[in-house]
Amino acid sequence: MQQIRIWQVGQSSIGEPKVEPLKEVGHAKAEDLLEDLLVREPDLLMPNLTLVGRQTPAAGGALDLLGVDEEGRLVVFELKRGTLRREAVAQVIEYAASLNSMSADELAQHIAERSGRDGIEKIDDFPAWYGESFPDEEADYTQPPRLALVGLGADESTRAMVSFLADSGVDIT
């Protein structure tokens, strides 16, 4: 049986690095813990990221995290507690396609109705929030979302698929 252990890294009272074991968790909780951490520290995913949704319903299931990057583009995050496999690529594409098929009003309503839960800031009026956050005329939340996969490595098939999509102009990491 595989075990997952969590440590907290900090500094001791004299400024030296200090590592403390926190707890052991099973695989089922690992993804939840990772998600909790990323909601508290979204800059771990990308600089100046604002998360606007968590476990947001979309076609095919619930997308793990939905954010807006520093350029004002939506980003769909799919998290896996282990190695990324081809199914994760299909999932993140399906979620992004679902969001991309919405009109501007539907997308704004979707985000407004689903924000404010599980550590995500409540945004009642997404277009107003977006306009204040991204006053540049070039910013547009209706452009196709970026796709991001987060896991502990990726198998060869997944790497090949992501490389092909990226080389073909899809914004995926």
Side-chain angles (χ1 to χ4, degrees), residues 10-67:
Q11 288 186 338
S12 69
S13 59
I14 59 171
E16 304 243 340
K18 177 180 170 184
V19 178
E20 298 177 49
L22 292 179
K23 58 184 165 181
E24 275 188 30
V25 295
H27 275 287
K29 290 292 291 175
E31 197 169 313
D32 291 338
L33 289 170
L34 175 61
E35 202 172 288
D36 288 342
L37 171 66
L38 295 174
V39 166
R40 285 193 310 274
E41 300 291 337
D43 280 353
L44 292 171
L45 291 166
M46 56 181 54
N48 303 313
L49 176 72
T50 301
L51 293 173
V52 296
R54 180 176 183 182
Q55 292 301 317
T56 305
L63 65 90
D64 292 330
L65 296 172
L66 179 61

Side-chain angles (χ1 to χ4, degrees), residues 96-148:
S98 175
L99 294 175
N100 196 56
S101 71
M102 295 179 186
S103 69
D105 290 341
E106 290 171 330
L107 183 57
Q109 182 177 353
H110 180 86
I111 292 170
E113 289 175 354
R114 289 159 179 87
S115 65
R117 297 190 310 228
D118 300 320
I120 302 296
E121 169 191 354
K122 178 65 178 156
I123 302 171
D124 291 315
D125 184 345
F126 184 70
W129 174 89
Y130 189 88
E132 290 172 17
S133 301
F134 303 97
D136 181 1
E137 294 173 10
E138 298 294 315
D140 178 11
Y141 65 85
T142 63
Q143 62 184 313
R146 296 175 70 188
L147 293 78

